[in-house]
Amino acid sequence: MGVIRLAKIAVIAALAAYALIVAYDNVFDYNSNYQFVRHVMSMDTIFPDSALRSRAIDSETMWRAAYALIIATEASTGFLLALGAVVLLSRLRASAKLFNHAKLLAVAGLTLGFCLWFFGFVVIGGEYFAMWQSKLWNAEEAAFRIAGTMLAALVFVSLPAVKSSPLSRARLV
């Protein structure tokens, strides 16, 4: 029971570090990924004859607002996950019921992260803005990998902690 709980906390903490570093990088190296958002939303590098080009947004205000929302969501994901890891660590030796109830922040962070990287980047960026058509500004594979990691962590963390019995401990030996 303790090792599985520690594994869940480690997964949450690692994803918290990832989301916080991504948010930090986007603030302190603002222009790099701002250009990504600008090109994806303006659809200036998709297939020249694409009928989807009518969805393009050519407003710097909208590009900056979208980028600010992305950064805020990354930071929120990281903070929720970090707090979730701390709360779970504080409940490491608690009953299964208390440990399960302490997962709320971690589950919220994992869900928010999944929504950002899957809905935000794969659905909105990839499909709505046809990011998949761009050879230069396409992050669908990376976003899908991150979303998949968030979803796998969400499934793993959501598995209920159970009260161990002497019989179940004996089977582990």
Side-chain angles (χ1 to χ4, degrees):
M1 172 170 56
V3 173
I4 293 172
R5 288 182 182 192
L6 285 172
K8 290 178 181 186
I9 294 165
V11 166
I12 294 163
L15 287 169
Y18 175 78
L20 290 170
I21 290 170
V22 170
Y24 175 89
D25 289 350
N26 284 337
V27 169
F28 289 95
D29 185 18
Y30 184 88
N31 193 52
S32 293
N33 283 323
Y34 170 71
Q35 294 304 318
F36 173 85
V37 171
R38 181 178 71 84
H39 285 290
V40 169
M41 291 179 70
S42 67
M43 301 174 76
D44 60 353
T45 62
I46 67 168
F47 302 158
D49 58 345
S50 177
L52 302 177
R53 209 176 265 285
S54 64
R55 297 176 180 170
I57 296 175
D58 290 320
S59 164
E60 184 174 352
T61 302
M62 293 299 291
W63 300 333
R64 292 198 184 277
Y67 192 37
L69 180 61
I70 290 167
I71 294 169
T73 306
E74 291 163 347
S76 297
T77 297
F79 284 123
L80 285 168
L81 290 171
L83 289 171
V86 169
V87 169
L88 285 173
L89 190 58
S90 75
R91 301 278 175 16
L92 183 61
R93 300 201 186 283
S95 69
K97 183 177 180 178
L98 286 175
F99 188 81
N100 287 329
H101 284 288
K103 294 177 184 179
L104 179 65
L105 292 171
V107 168
L110 291 166
T111 303
L112 186 60
F114 174 79
C115 288
L116 171 64
W117 277 284
F118 186 78
F119 184 74
F121 288 97
V122 176
V123 176
I124 301 297
E127 292 304 317
Y128 185 83
F129 288 114
M131 180 172 60
W132 64 272
Q133 292 183 12
S134 176
K135 289 190 186 291
L136 297 173
W137 303 100
N138 184 352
E140 263 194 309
E141 283 185 32
F144 190 78
R145 186 176 59 248
I146 298 162
T149 302
M150 292 282 179
L151 186 59
L154 182 59
V155 170
F156 175 55
V157 168
S158 295
L159 293 173
V162 294
K163 181 179 177 183
S164 64
S165 68
L167 183 58
S168 66
R169 283 193 296 265
R171 280 191 236 141
L172 295 175
V173 176

